[in-house]
Amino acid sequence: MTHLSRTTLINALLRYFPETPRVSLEAMSDEKLRIMFQHINNENSFKIRQMDYISI
């Protein structure tokens, strides 16, 4: 994964979890933010692969 700034990670996570207060994400460590982002990214990639398989 390419390096994303802390602000970019927070903004991306806020789009995925709009009910989460920004302050909660800002309080997390950089590592925790990266792990959350990577988990969401992996989950979405898996869903896309499943959709491709179903559409064949």
Side-chain angles (χ1 to χ4, degrees):
M1 181 170 94
T2 59
H3 178 73
L4 299 173
S5 73
R6 180 176 178 78
T7 304
T8 301
L9 288 171
I10 290 171
N11 289 336
L13 291 169
L14 283 171
R15 285 181 176 255
Y16 199 79
F17 301 113
E19 71 284 354
T20 303
R22 178 180 272 284
V23 172
S24 297
L25 294 175
E26 289 174 346
M28 292 182 184
S29 70
D30 290 352
E31 185 63 22
K32 176 71 174 175
L33 291 171
R34 279 195 279 291
I35 289 169
M36 286 180 64
F37 182 81
Q38 189 62 47
H39 176 74
I40 292 166
N41 199 21
N42 290 343
E43 187 177 295
N44 287 338
S45 294
F46 178 73
K47 288 177 185 175
I48 289 169
R49 284 193 303 272
Q50 281 185 321
M51 288 170 44
D52 285 345
Y53 179 74
I54 291 170
S55 66
I56 290 177

